Amino acid sequence: MEERVRAYVLNVEKAINTLSSMSLDEESRGIVELARTYLSDSKYYLEKGDVFTSLACIAYAEGLLDALKRLGKASFEWEPLSKLLARPKVLVAGAFEILHPGHLHLLKKAWELGRVHVVVARDSSIRRIKGREPVVPEQQRLEVVSAVKYVDTAVLGDEEDFLKPVEHIKPDIILLGPDQWITPEKLKNEIRKRGLFDIEILKLPERIGGELYSTRGIIKRVCQIQRSSNIL
C-alpha cells in the first residue's frame, strides 16, 4: 500500500510540475495551488506513517487536476502506475552540511532517474575526509535531507565501511556529484568486489551556480560578513 501511495504522490507531483510551467488562467492556477497543498499534506502524513490519510489527501489532489484536464483547462498526461512502481532505485551520497541549490540540483537529477535514496555522511567521515569538525551534526543533516521533496528515504552512512549502505539498498543507479572524492571507475571496481555487478554509475558533469553553491563558499561568505561586522 505504501509503495502505491508513493507512486500516486509522484504522479501528482510530476503533473503539478508540468502545469507550473504552463500559462493558465487565474482560476486554474488557484486549483493547481490547492492540489499542491493536498500534495504537501499527503507527503507529510506518508512520512508520519499514516498511509490512509496520505491516500485521501493525494486522491483529492488527483481529482482536482483531473477535473482541470477534463474541462480542457490544462493539458498533461498521467504516468501509468505500473511504470511508476517500477522506477529504479537511485542512490546519492554526500555530507549535506549546509543544504544549498547545488544539493537540490543533484537530488532533482536523481529524482528524474528514479526513486531517490540518500546516504548522509557520518560526522566521523567528515572529520576523516575534510580534516575538520562538521558544521552541522549528522542527525540534523539527516532530518533536513529527509524533508527534501525529491528524497524517498535517507539514512546515515556506515562509520567504517562506506559501501555497506550500497549493499543494503541495492540501488539500480548511483549518481555521483561533480565534486565527490571517488571516481565512477574506482567505485565500480569496489562494488564489483562485493558481488554487485548490475549497478549503473553516473556522475553529474559539472557544478552549477557560483560561490554560494558550495558549503565552503557559504562558510567563506559568513566569515567575511562576520569580519566586516567586527570592523564596523
Side-chain angles (χ1 to χ4, degrees), residues 1 4 13 17 36 45 64 77 85 90 129 145 171 198 205:
M1 172 64 82
R4 285 181 174 272
E13 191 162 33
N17 287 340
R36 193 191 302 275
Y45 286 112
L64 287 168
E77 296 298 328
L85 288 170
V90 184
I129 295 172
V145 170
D198 297 326

Side-chain angles (χ1 to χ4, degrees), residues 41-52:
D41 288 345
S42 178
K43 293 172 75 173
Y44 170 80
Y45 286 112
L46 188 59
E47 294 311 311
K48 293 293 184 182
D50 188 346
V51 177
F52 292 103

Side-chain angles (χ1 to χ4, degrees), residues 10-73:
L10 178 60
N11 218 0
V12 169
E13 191 162 33
K14 288 169 72 71
I16 287 176
N17 287 340
T18 298
L19 293 173
S20 296
S21 63
M22 292 182 177
S23 178
L24 303 174
D25 59 48
E26 185 176 352
E27 185 178 28
S28 297
R29 288 198 303 271
I31 292 174
V32 171
E33 288 307 308
L34 182 57
R36 193 191 302 275
T37 300
Y38 279 120
L39 169 65
S40 178
D41 288 345
S42 178
K43 293 172 75 173
Y44 170 80
Y45 286 112
L46 188 59
E47 294 311 311
K48 293 293 184 182
D50 188 346
V51 177
F52 292 103
T53 303
S54 176
L55 177 59
C57 292
I58 205 63
Y60 274 114
E62 186 180 49
L64 287 168
L65 298 183
D66 216 25
L68 279 181
K69 184 179 179 181
R70 288 180 176 275
L71 289 171
K73 295 280 190 176

Side-chain angles (χ1 to χ4, degrees), residues 121-176:
R122 304 299 295 263
D123 289 346
S124 58
S125 300
I126 292 177
R127 294 186 190 102
R128 184 175 64 255
I129 295 172
K130 299 190 177 185
R132 60 165 173 76
E133 288 295 313
V135 178
V136 177
E138 58 190 32
Q139 286 294 340
Q140 186 173 327
R141 291 184 284 114
L142 177 65
E143 182 177 351
V144 171
V145 170
S146 297
V148 176
K149 67 179 182 179
Y150 302 118
V151 175
D152 192 81
T153 62
V155 298
L156 289 174
D158 189 90
E159 293 190 283
E160 302 296 332
D161 182 358
F162 77 97
L163 287 179
K164 272 193 177 179
V166 179
E167 291 181 306
H168 176 70
I169 295 169
K170 293 182 173 59
D172 300 292
I173 301 169
I174 296 177
L175 180 62
L176 298 174

Side-chain angles (χ1 to χ4, degrees), residues 174-193:
I174 296 177
L175 180 62
L176 298 174
D179 298 329
Q180 279 181 299
W181 63 274
I182 195 167
T183 65
E185 294 76 19
K186 183 175 181 181
L187 179 57
K188 184 172 290 187
N189 289 335
E190 291 296 323
I191 62 176
R192 282 179 174 174
K193 293 177 184 177

